[in-house]
Every structure is written in structure tokens, then in C-alpha cells.
Amino acid sequence: MQPSHNAAASMAGYLFQARYALLLGIDEARRNPGLELAIETFDDVSFEDSAGPVQLIQTKHHARRAAVSDYSVDLWKTLNVWIHRFLEDPTNATRTRLIFLTTDIVADGSALSYLRKGDDSRTESLALELLVSAAETSGNHATLDARNDFLDLTPTTQQILLAGIWVLDNAPNLIDVRDEIETALHYAAPREQVPDLTDQLEGWWFARVASAITDTQPTAIPLTSIHNKIAELRENYKLRNLPLHESIEDMSFLTEMPSDDRTFIRQMALVQLGDVEVRATVHDYYRAFEQRSRWAREHLLLDGEADRYDRDLQDAWHRRFLRCTTSLDDDAAEHTKVVQGKAVFHWAREHQQLFRNRDEIWLSSGSLQMLADDLRVGWHPDYLELLASATEEV
């Protein structure tokens, strides 16, 4: 079971690294949009400008929180990476912020506790004393090389190295980072839609990261691309835009005539419509009913918006209904009434009424059928009298 557990921990670590990089990228893009973000290039995560890295971030993810001491393997492995980078390029190293980010908690009174970002207790000189002491007294063979490399640095170089380090402990874990991302994106969509927007952003991000780290020449990702992707997604979630659900667009047509006696189907029977038209109209009804129900469930509609839309449909229908029926004599033949009723029905099938940003004809057609089901509109000139029993039920 141990290899399986280790594989899961490694996978969680890589996902945490990528997900936290997105969170950092969203935040950094607001302050320094000209930077680029890289993963597994200079460090776990790095921010770069044209002259090289300006931030190197070591991410440490642990399923269970524990205390990080001055003897921690995580700490000395990280310091070893940074020491070698410092020695290879001391000029650029002094302009680079070094960030130790861990889901664990730094032990009180440890060297790392005096290197926290923005902490009033930050004291680099005390942190240096504690690290030198740990390097000299630790008996952990796994950290021996890193500790010796640190002790080989001159005191001035040790001071410069620690001055560039920020410690961020008690960081959110793999799952909680997702909540942090949603919080950072609160402005980009209505509250109920932020999780959906985040899903789409993360899908794009993970694909972008995979491409960047598997290229023959690993490439950095411009922060502007994160900003632009959020802006693109944001357009789809603005209050003025109502989304269409793909499942509704792909809803299958009826292959058989409906067997029920719902009012809107009986209304079509009054004007003697053929099976093909009835099935197509029921299809419009189902799509409009389901789409409008989803908008309501997801709280995407403004107060009274659906009622105003239905009133506008009813007003447009009433004008057409009067145009087709007022010229009929009281003793007009049933055939003539059916012909005029069909004319009203066919108008309803083609009428296009804007529902905020949605102008699909099936939405208008299906919504008119919903009104027909409530007897608020009709096709046959005498539909109310002929469906008197339904009127009494309403």
C-alpha cells in the first residue's frame, strides 16, 4: 500500500502546485501584469520579467498539517535549491524574492517564524542565529549536504539570502485553494455562477500548464493570458447575458405523438394541426420550459423579468389574434375559424421575442405554448368556450 500512498501524495502535490500557481497568477496579474509565470523552470513556481525571475516559490503540500521546525527536511531541501542558485548568479539572486509556501504550520520560536511575510516579529538576524545552530547540531543525514552548503556561505551572504526569504505557512490545502480562487473571482460572475466560471478557468489553466511543462523548451505563461481568459469567461457570465445549456440545445425531437391531454396540446387539436407540427411545437415547449426553469433555479433572472416577458408575448399575441379574428361573423363556418386559428398559431411558431440577450425562436414559441397551457393565449377564435372545463380548473 505504501507505493500507492506515495503516488497519491505526489499527485496531490503536483495538483496543489498548479492550482496554487493559478491563485498566485490571478493576484499578481492585478499588480504586475507584465510578468510571466513558469512552473518547474527556475523553481516550483516562478514569476519572471525580461531580466529573469523576480519571485521563486517553493510549494510544500501535506495532507495533514504538522509543525515545521528548523530541522525540517522541507526547509533544508528548499534552502539548498536557493543557495545553489545564489552562487550561480549572485547578481540576479539579490533581486529575487524567495518564498517558502507550506500547508504546515511554522513552529513558534523557530527561524522560519522570524521570516514570515509582513509579520511584526520578523527578525532576520535572529532567524540566522537559529539556522546556523540547527545546521551545526542536526544529526539528520538527509539534510547534511544542504546544511554544510549553508555553513560554507560567508555571514554576509547568509544575511543577504535570508533577507530575500518570505515564509507563508498554514497555506490552504489542495481542496481549500479552490475556495480561495473562487473568492478571488467573485467579481467575474454572479455569485451562483462563480463555481462554473472557476471550473472553466481551471480546465483551461491545467491544459495550459501541461503544455508549458511538456514542451521541448518549457515556456512561461504571460499573466496577461490569465487576465484575458478571465475577461473572456466573464463576458459569458455578465448579468445581461443568459447562458444556454447544451443539454437543452441538444434535446431530441419527439418521434411519437404525445398521449396526454394537456391544455396546450388540446389547443393545437382545435385548429387541426398535423402530427409533424404538433411534435415540433411540443419540442419547443419542452426546451423553453426546461431552459426557463434552469434560469430560475440558478437565480439568473431579475425580479419580475419572466413575468414581463410573458406579458409582452401576450400583448403581441393579442394584437395578432384580433387581426385574424375580429373580421369573422358570429355565424362564420367552423372551417373558416380553423383557418384563422391556424394563422394565429403559425405566427406564434415564428414570432421572435427578445428575452434579455436570448433571441432563439424556439424560446418564444415554447413560451407561447406555456401561456397556451394556462389559457392566457389561444389559437381558435372560440378557444375559451371550447375549453370551458379547462378554464374552470384554472
Side-chain angles (χ1 to χ4, degrees):
M1 295 298 292
Q2 190 65 29
S4 173
H5 172 75
N6 290 340
S10 296
M11 178 62 72
Y14 286 124
L15 290 174
F16 172 77
Q17 183 177 325
R19 180 171 268 178
Y20 211 103
L22 175 58
L23 176 62
L24 294 171
I26 293 170
D27 184 54
E28 196 66 32
R30 298 191 184 104
R31 294 193 300 269
N32 299 297
L35 296 181
E36 296 185 336
L37 185 155
I39 295 178
E40 296 291 350
T41 302
F42 295 103
D43 215 321
D44 289 348
V45 180
S46 59
F47 289 100
E48 312 163 18
D49 61 15
S50 58
V54 295
Q55 283 188 40
L56 299 180
I57 304 167
Q58 280 273 323
T59 60
K60 305 299 181 184
H61 181 269
H62 300 280
R64 296 182 179 179
R65 296 193 193 281
V68 183
S69 74
D70 296 341
Y71 300 89
S72 165
V73 173
D74 277 355
L75 166 60
W76 286 104
K77 280 185 175 180
T78 298
L79 286 176
N80 196 39
V81 171
W82 291 341
I83 288 168
H84 284 280
R85 172 158 181 80
F86 190 96
L87 296 175
E88 290 169 2
D89 189 3
T91 302
N92 275 329
T94 56
R95 68 186 285 273
T96 304
R97 176 66 60 191
L98 308 172
I99 298 176
F100 181 79
L101 188 152
T102 178
T103 57
D104 282 344
I105 301 171
V106 166
D108 291 338
S110 66
L112 291 181
S113 70
Y114 295 110
L115 294 175
R116 285 192 177 105
K117 174 188 175 183
D119 196 309
D120 292 339
S121 64
R122 182 180 175 91
T123 311
E124 294 162 15
S125 58
L126 183 53
L128 178 55
E129 290 179 20
L130 292 168
L131 280 177
V132 169
S133 175
E136 291 174 338
T137 60
S138 174
N140 190 338
H141 183 74
T143 63
L144 179 61
D145 290 342
R147 289 185 287 109
N148 286 337
D149 288 342
F150 180 71
L151 293 173
D152 287 342
L153 297 175
T154 66
T156 299
T157 302
Q158 291 173 340
Q159 291 170 7
I160 294 173
L161 177 66
L162 264 60
I165 294 176
W166 280 351
V167 172
L168 302 175
D169 65 327
N170 200 23
N173 62 25
L174 172 62
I175 303 302
D176 293 338
V177 174
R178 165 64 186 234
D179 295 335
E180 298 271 349
I181 293 173
E182 290 187 11
T183 299
L185 295 173
H186 73 278
Y187 68 93
R191 180 174 56 83
E192 298 80 6
Q193 296 299 299
V194 170
D196 288 341
L197 183 146
T198 305
D199 284 342
Q200 295 185 53
L201 180 64
E202 283 198 325
W204 166 83
W205 175 249
F206 288 137
R208 188 70 187 269
V209 168
S211 175
I213 65 178
T214 56
D215 283 348
T216 306
Q217 289 279 342
T219 56
I221 302 170
L223 294 187
T224 52
S225 68
I226 298 176
H227 172 81
N228 292 341
K229 187 62 181 181
I230 293 172
E232 174 192 328
L233 294 173
R234 189 180 182 187
E235 284 298 312
N236 296 329
Y237 288 91
K238 281 186 176 179
L239 189 59
R240 69 172 182 268
N241 288 342
L242 290 170
L244 286 184
H245 291 80
E246 291 183 4
S247 61
I248 294 171
E249 281 284 310
D250 298 336
M251 191 177 289
S252 300
F253 282 90
L254 296 179
T255 57
E256 298 180 357
M257 284 289 289
S259 58
D260 58 70
D261 61 349
R262 279 173 294 177
T263 301
F264 84 99
I265 293 175
R266 294 167 63 194
Q267 289 239 43
M268 288 186 278
L270 291 180
V271 290
Q272 301 174 15
L273 295 172
D275 291 358
V276 173
E277 276 192 305
V278 171
R279 291 201 304 272
T281 303
V282 173
H283 183 62
D284 286 350
Y285 171 89
Y286 284 149
R287 284 197 289 178
F289 183 89
E290 181 59 25
Q291 182 60 82
R292 291 181 59 167
S293 297
R294 288 200 181 194
W295 287 337
R297 288 196 303 271
E298 295 170 7
H299 308 287
L300 297 180
L301 301 178
L302 303 175
D303 289 345
E305 184 175 19
D307 289 339
R308 287 192 296 274
Y309 178 72
D310 287 340
R311 285 197 300 271
D312 289 343
L313 282 177
Q314 193 170 14
D315 178 69
W317 162 82
H318 189 250
R319 295 169 188 273
R320 177 64 59 164
F321 187 74
L322 289 178
R323 177 178 173 181
C324 291
T325 61
T326 52
S327 61
L328 293 175
D329 296 331
D330 292 340
D331 59 351
E334 178 63 17
H335 171 73
T336 303
K337 292 182 179 181
V338 167
V339 169
Q340 294 303 313
K342 280 185 177 178
V344 179
F345 172 84
H346 288 141
W347 165 86
R349 285 273 295 151
E350 301 295 329
H351 181 64
Q352 190 175 36
Q353 186 86 25
L354 195 65
F355 196 131
R356 204 186 299 177
N357 61 301
R358 307 288 6 153
D359 61 359
E360 286 74 16
I361 292 179
W362 60 259
L363 181 60
S364 303
S365 169
S367 294
L368 279 163
Q369 296 304 319
M370 292 166 64
L371 293 175
D373 203 46
D374 292 335
L375 290 178
R376 293 171 61 184
V377 306
W379 323 126
H380 192 284
D382 302 327
Y383 76 95
L384 286 175
E385 292 81 357
L386 294 171
L387 297 171
S389 58
T391 304
E392 292 173 3
E393 293 177 6
V394 172

